[in-house]
Structures are given as C-alpha cells and as structure tokens.
Amino acid sequence: MDEDRFWELSKRSDRETRSRKERLAWLNTRLCQLSADKVIDYHMWWELNANRGCTCDMYAMSCHLLRRESTDDFECFVYWLMSLGREAYHQVADCPDSVMELPQVAHLLDLKRRWFTERRRGFPWSDEEHPGFELLAYVALDAYEQVTGTDVDGLYAAVKTREVRTRFPLLAAEFGEQDWDIADDAEIARRLPRLARPLTSRG
C-alpha cells in the first residue's frame, strides 16, 4: 500500500459513511480484508503523516484555536485534521495559519461565537463536530489484531524496522530547534497572523 492508497481509503471512509462510528467500522472492514503487511503499510503512512503535523507552529495554532494548552488535545486535533483529507491536512501542516481557510474551522468558530453569545452550558460543538478524532489512530491496530490473531506488538515492531518513529504521544511540547514561546503574543501574531486576530473580528 502506497501513500496514495492510504489517503484514498481515508477519503472513501468519509464519503461513504454518515458518522464517526460508521467511518471507523468502514475502515476496519476494509483493512481486515487486506494482508497483515498492507495493514502495517497503512499504519506506517498514518504515523508518517501524523509526524508531519507535530511542529511547534502546529501546537501553538492548536492551543490558540482551542483555547487550551494540552498535548493530548493537540494530538487528537492533528488526527481530526487528518480526517479532513490529504489536501486540507497537508495545507495546514505546511502553513498552520491557513487553518483559518478550512470551512470546518469556520463552522467551529461560528458555533463557539453562538455558544458565548447565548451563554450555553456544556460544549460549543457536538461529538460529531468536536475537533479531535483519537479513535481514528487505532483502526489499523484493531485490524492487525483481527487479521493476525496476535497483539499489536508485531505491528509496532514492523513499523519500527522501517525506521518510522511516532512523535506522539508528546510528554512535553518540545520541538528542538523549532521550539518557541507559544505564550508570547507578539510571536504568535508574527507566525500566525490570521489566527491571532480577536475572535470577534474573524469572518
């Protein structure tokens, strides 16, 4: 399985289902029809693409957009962005500030505005709209266990032999030379100008 096939499966799983639960089941069914090697391929491409989003700029964007500094939320947010498809995800991974161009993000911000205006309780969005999709990261693991009848240690070992190392979960937001102070408003305004605008001014 190459990267194009990986993203095609993701795209079809979204197009052919109506909920996250159905999407996970769809992917599980398709992956269970493949060989163990192809399931490993799928997970390898998942890890490589997730790693692409693990940057300090992406982390700052996530914290600023969600109004919460959490490495767990960041990880789930990256997975949600991946669920939006190859074009959207790569666009944001290459330029985190372009997240403001995504219609799904505009919808989330609109929900948040109404939530604040109407002083509602709970969360601004439903479970289906929530900007996090952790379970999507586990579909290959579940499929591997079903296909091989063994635990996921074999999958992890196979991916490792291909010299692919996941950058998640983060134990701390450390990004080496990319690291910068995400609490610095001036730096956020320089690096993420569209995102840094006040919520009330976003169209």
Side-chain angles (χ1 to χ4, degrees), residues 51-60 63 69 71 74 78 167-168 170 172-182:
N51 286 349
R52 182 172 177 172
C54 192
T55 66
C56 193
D57 283 8
M58 284 281 282
Y59 179 64
C63 294
E69 188 172 334
T71 55
F74 171 56
V78 168
R167 298 191 66 186
F168 292 111
L170 291 174
E174 296 178 353
F175 301 96
E177 294 180 358
Q178 298 177 350
D179 205 11
W180 53 276
D181 184 3
I182 67 169

Side-chain angles (χ1 to χ4, degrees), residues 13 74 117 129:
S13 72
F74 171 56
T117 300
E129 296 165 321

Side-chain angles (χ1 to χ4, degrees), residues 50-183:
N51 286 349
R52 182 172 177 172
C54 192
T55 66
C56 193
D57 283 8
M58 284 281 282
Y59 179 64
M61 177 271 286
S62 166
C63 294
H64 198 70
L65 186 67
L66 302 179
R67 301 296 184 186
R68 182 176 180 183
E69 188 172 334
S70 163
T71 55
D72 289 340
D73 285 350
F74 171 56
E75 180 178 354
C76 294
F77 181 69
V78 168
Y79 298 160
W80 176 72
L81 287 173
M82 289 177 68
S83 78
L84 303 182
R86 184 178 198 169
E87 183 177 346
Y89 178 64
H90 284 182
Q91 171 188 318
V92 176
D94 290 342
C95 177
D97 202 33
S98 70
V99 73
M100 300 303 293
E101 299 172 8
L102 299 182
Q104 295 89 344
V105 170
H107 176 64
L108 290 175
L109 292 176
D110 184 56
L111 289 174
K112 208 168 189 179
R113 287 191 198 97
R114 285 186 284 168
W115 184 71
F116 276 115
T117 300
E118 299 172 10
R119 299 182 179 181
R120 299 177 184 174
R121 295 183 178 180
F123 296 97
W125 35 68
S126 68
D127 289 344
E128 289 291 327
E129 296 165 321
H130 177 68
F133 201 166
E134 182 180 10
L135 293 180
L136 197 59
Y138 304 144
V139 290
L141 279 59
D142 294 338
Y144 181 85
E145 290 183 332
Q146 293 177 59
V147 168
T148 65
T150 62
D151 62 34
V152 297
D153 288 346
L155 182 148
Y156 291 138
V159 172
K160 193 173 182 179
T161 61
R162 302 180 188 189
E163 299 184 352
V164 175
R165 303 287 189 277
T166 179
R167 298 191 66 186
F168 292 111
L170 291 174
L171 299 180
E174 296 178 353
F175 301 96
E177 294 180 358
Q178 298 177 350
D179 205 11
W180 53 276
D181 184 3
I182 67 169

